[in-house]
Amino acid sequence: MGLYRSATSLAVVALAAAAAVQCDEESTAAQDCKCFPGDDCWPTAAEWSEFNSTINGKLVATVPLAAACHDDKWASYDEATCTKMQNGWLDPETHYPDSASIMAPFFANRSCDPFTERSAGCVIGTYVQYTVNVSEAADVAAGIKFANDRNIRLVIRNTGHDYNGKSTGAGALGLWMHHLNDIEFKDWDDEHYSGKAIKMGAGVLGGEAYKAADAQGLQVVGGECPTVGIAGGYSQGGGHSALSSRHGMAADQTLEWEVVTGTGEHLIANRENNTDLYWALSGGGGGTYSVVLSLTSKAHEDVPTAGANLTFTSAGVSQDAYYEAIATFHASLPKSADAGVMSVWYFTNETFAISPLTGPNVTAEQLKEFLTPLTDKLDELNIKYTSFFGDFDSYLSFFNNMFAPIQVGIAQYGGRLIPRSVVENNNTALTDAYRSITTQGAQFIGVALNASLATAGNPDNAVNPGWRDTLIDTVITTPWNFTAPWEDMIANQEQMTDVFMPTLAELTPNGSAYLNEADFRQPDWKDVFYGANYPKLEAIKNKYDPNHLFYAITAVGSDYWEPQDDGRLCKA
């Protein structure tokens, strides 16, 4: 299967680009490990071909996307193709049409990187070995059976958008859900919700759902990046949205899941049938309970939506003045969040940008009022700023005009949910913590929302309880450099775990983080990512996936397996 680059000294989940050396099968069995490329137990080409015939030719063998940038067996070096690949590598559109590529470079581990030397190895590495291009439930069931029978790691994947490596795995067979993209609108009526609903295949992207909803005079809750799939780890992990202060989290919208379980059973999970699975899938994390084929969610009446941007820099002012302005903005957030506004902003120790405020059924003049404390403070401190305020007749029009394209592969991530009480009662200490972190070269990304307003009276779900009193979802990033020594990128991730996250944890003891935008090395991840829900979630996981076939980094039940330095999964 080709040579694999060995893993670095950081022996953590999914860093491997395994060395495809012949493994002693008896030793592997004794360790209770997954079968791995190069083992005697690994299927032959003929056996893969036979499996392919049983699923009507839907098996895709992985050819690394950047193969044209290297001299290797996959393709001949092609300078023009390689240059095109380099120029588009940060665009999600480059990756999600591919059956194996992922957007988080840390977990690709430079397996086949367009920015490494032409002579550098191009290997499958941490990418899945094969994928089943799923078009129906039977394809999923066949993939599950093959992986179970052959003791092969299985990965559920859609776009490869995941920041924390859940959609790839060394030596794995992937279930590629990307082409399940049907959209249907329907009327829904039960004791909990009566209104319009949208049924989305597992591969439907946010932007596709927004466009379809707009044509129906509706809006749906999805991510700020239009290429994130709604039914996958996004909604399953909770899912914050520009509409969350008005409608709640993405998981709060779910009405019904269509799934295939770890034993190959095709089920419908809602508030009347398989209610425990419905509960777990609605916020308890993706990639671990079942394979989702479709999701039916609430669709809301569309309303005019206002948007605002504002930027300033630290040029010509003291750092004290700069961070005083930022603290003033944070102090103003409760009022806007309570009015249904969701805020996204970014800052380093040099630049600050609100990009954007989202005000469904709010006017641009009202957004100006919410930002008056900040603009007054900027005037007082003689800090120049630029701003924009606009009214749009629909959510889609707002979204297309106010959300800029989001690049991928540019950072490593850590996160913490900041309760409203910290902002209201300890804002100075919070500002000092942000200042310390950003002064050390990190970037802050803030998402301010009220995830409790729209959920009053709704049934319980598995969303981390920490979300319900959160004001700021703090995301801290360190920059990714494709040409820097790998050891520097490892050091950046260690700094995230050992320095930045503890700084915020001191302000939020017994606190939480958004599991989709967090440090995958979080030491106490069960408590931080899932809170009091974890024991119940684990029981549900064991019920619907009794063989622990579904593994994803920091997912519920993931500690059943222990990744080795080469990426192979062995029982812990």
Side-chain angles (χ1 to χ4, degrees), residues 166-215:
K166 288 181 169 66
S167 56
T168 194
L173 170 66
L175 296 176
W176 193 26
M177 316 304 292
H178 185 57
H179 292 112
L180 295 178
N181 51 20
D182 288 344
I183 296 175
E184 176 188 356
F185 291 92
K186 56 177 65 179
D187 294 315
W188 189 276
D189 187 20
D190 65 18
E191 62 177 303
H192 304 293
Y193 174 72
S194 180
K196 294 293 183 180
I198 177 173
K199 182 179 180 181
M200 300 168 282
V204 171
L205 305 182
E208 295 170 339
Y210 305 154
K211 184 177 180 179
D214 182 76

Side-chain angles (χ1 to χ4, degrees), residues 10 38 49 89 93 111 147 157 189 209 211 213 221 245 250 254 258 315 354 379 409 435 480 487 494 509 545 559 568:
L10 183 60
S49 180
W89 199 250
E93 292 80 6
S111 300
R157 54 178 288 109
D189 187 20
K211 184 177 180 179
V221 172
S245 291
T254 66
E258 180 189 6
I354 298 171
D379 291 339
R435 180 172 178 172
W480 184 267
E487 292 74 16
E494 291 174 338
D545 182 27
D559 54 346
R568 180 198 304 270

Side-chain angles (χ1 to χ4, degrees), residues 17-29:
V21 296
Q22 188 68 26
C23 178
D24 179 13
E25 187 175 0
E26 181 176 322
S27 171
T28 300

Side-chain angles (χ1 to χ4, degrees), residues 6-16 105-107 109-110 412 478-481 484-498 519-521:
S6 60
T8 60
S9 59
L10 183 60
V12 296
V13 181
L15 286 183
F106 189 86
F107 295 97
N109 197 33
R110 293 182 177 168
Q412 299 187 80
T478 54
W480 184 267
N481 187 331
W486 185 258
E487 292 74 16
D488 290 356
M489 299 299 96
I490 297 294
N492 282 353
Q493 189 62 53
E494 291 174 338
Q495 185 183 34
M496 184 73 70
T497 304
D498 300 336
D519 177 11
F520 74 95
R521 298 178 68 220

Side-chain angles (χ1 to χ4, degrees), residues 247-333:
H247 299 308
M249 306 288 287
D252 297 328
Q253 316 305 310
T254 66
L255 299 169
E256 186 170 271
W257 301 90
E258 180 189 6
V259 306
V260 178
T261 70
T263 57
E265 189 175 4
H266 187 190
L267 296 178
I268 298 296
N270 52 37
R271 294 179 179 122
E272 295 180 355
N273 301 291
N274 303 303
T275 56
D276 54 350
L277 182 58
Y278 165 81
W279 180 87
L281 288 169
S282 302
T288 191
Y289 308 104
S290 293
V291 182
V292 169
L293 298 171
S294 72
L295 165 63
T296 303
S297 285
K298 300 173 186 177
H300 304 277
E301 181 183 358
D302 200 14
V303 294
T305 303
N309 290 335
L310 186 148
T311 62
F312 61 91
T313 75
S314 63
V317 300
S318 69
Q319 286 284 284
D320 288 345
Y322 176 71
Y323 283 99
E324 183 181 350
I326 292 172
T328 300
F329 172 66
H330 292 162
S332 73
L333 290 170

Side-chain angles (χ1 to χ4, degrees), residues 189-512:
D189 187 20
D190 65 18
E191 62 177 303
H192 304 293
Y193 174 72
S194 180
K196 294 293 183 180
I198 177 173
K199 182 179 180 181
M200 300 168 282
V204 171
L205 305 182
E208 295 170 339
Y210 305 154
K211 184 177 180 179
D214 182 76
Q216 301 288 324
L218 300 169
Q219 57 184 214
V220 296
V221 172
E224 295 87 358
C225 180
T227 56
V228 170
I230 293 182
Y234 168 73
S235 288
Q236 292 175 51
H240 65 63
S241 168
L243 295 172
S244 284
S245 291
R246 179 173 174 84
H247 299 308
M249 306 288 287
D252 297 328
Q253 316 305 310
T254 66
L255 299 169
E256 186 170 271
W257 301 90
E258 180 189 6
V259 306
V260 178
T261 70
T263 57
E265 189 175 4
H266 187 190
L267 296 178
I268 298 296
N270 52 37
R271 294 179 179 122
E272 295 180 355
N273 301 291
N274 303 303
T275 56
D276 54 350
L277 182 58
Y278 165 81
W279 180 87
L281 288 169
S282 302
T288 191
Y289 308 104
S290 293
V291 182
V292 169
L293 298 171
S294 72
L295 165 63
T296 303
S297 285
K298 300 173 186 177
H300 304 277
E301 181 183 358
D302 200 14
V303 294
T305 303
N309 290 335
L310 186 148
T311 62
F312 61 91
T313 75
S314 63
V317 300
S318 69
Q319 286 284 284
D320 288 345
Y322 176 71
Y323 283 99
E324 183 181 350
I326 292 172
T328 300
F329 172 66
H330 292 162
S332 73
L333 290 170
K335 185 176 180 180
S336 61
D338 291 351
V341 174
M342 191 268 219
S343 306
V344 178
W345 69 106
Y346 307 77
F347 67 86
T348 66
N349 65 331
E350 296 179 339
T351 61
F352 175 96
I354 298 171
S355 182
L357 300 187
T358 303
N361 217 25
V362 172
T363 66
E365 284 301 315
Q366 288 173 301
L367 292 185
K368 285 183 181 180
E369 292 177 13
F370 291 133
L371 286 181
T372 296
L374 172 59
T375 55
D376 285 351
K377 177 58 69 173
L378 292 172
D379 291 339
E380 175 189 327
L381 297 171
N382 294 316
I383 297 176
K384 295 180 180 180
Y385 63 91
T386 61
S387 62
F388 168 83
F389 297 86
D391 289 304
F392 301 90
D393 59 4
S394 69
Y395 178 68
L396 180 64
S397 177
F398 156 82
F399 189 92
N400 288 340
N401 282 279
M402 297 300 295
F403 275 101
I406 297 177
Q407 290 185 318
V408 297
I410 59 175
Q412 299 187 80
Y413 296 82
R416 196 78 174 182
L417 299 181
I418 306 300
R420 174 182 295 239
S421 59
V422 173
V423 178
E424 292 178 337
N425 303 322
N426 207 10
N427 195 28
T428 298
L430 181 64
T431 302
D432 289 345
Y434 289 151
R435 180 172 178 172
S436 172
I437 291 169
T438 53
T439 299
Q440 295 179 71
Q443 176 179 258
F444 168 96
I445 306 172
V447 174
L449 71 170
N450 185 333
S452 64
L453 285 178
T455 58
N458 281 359
D460 183 29
N461 60 25
V463 169
N464 186 334
W467 270 110
R468 301 312 183 188
D469 63 359
T470 288
L471 179 64
I472 299 175
D473 171 26
T474 293
V475 180
I476 301 297
T477 69
T478 54
W480 184 267
N481 187 331
F482 283 96
T483 59
W486 185 258
E487 292 74 16
D488 290 356
M489 299 299 96
I490 297 294
N492 282 353
Q493 189 62 53
E494 291 174 338
Q495 185 183 34
M496 184 73 70
T497 304
D498 300 336
V499 180
F500 297 157
M501 290 301 97
T503 300
L504 295 179
E506 288 181 9
L507 292 170
T508 56
N510 304 313
S512 303

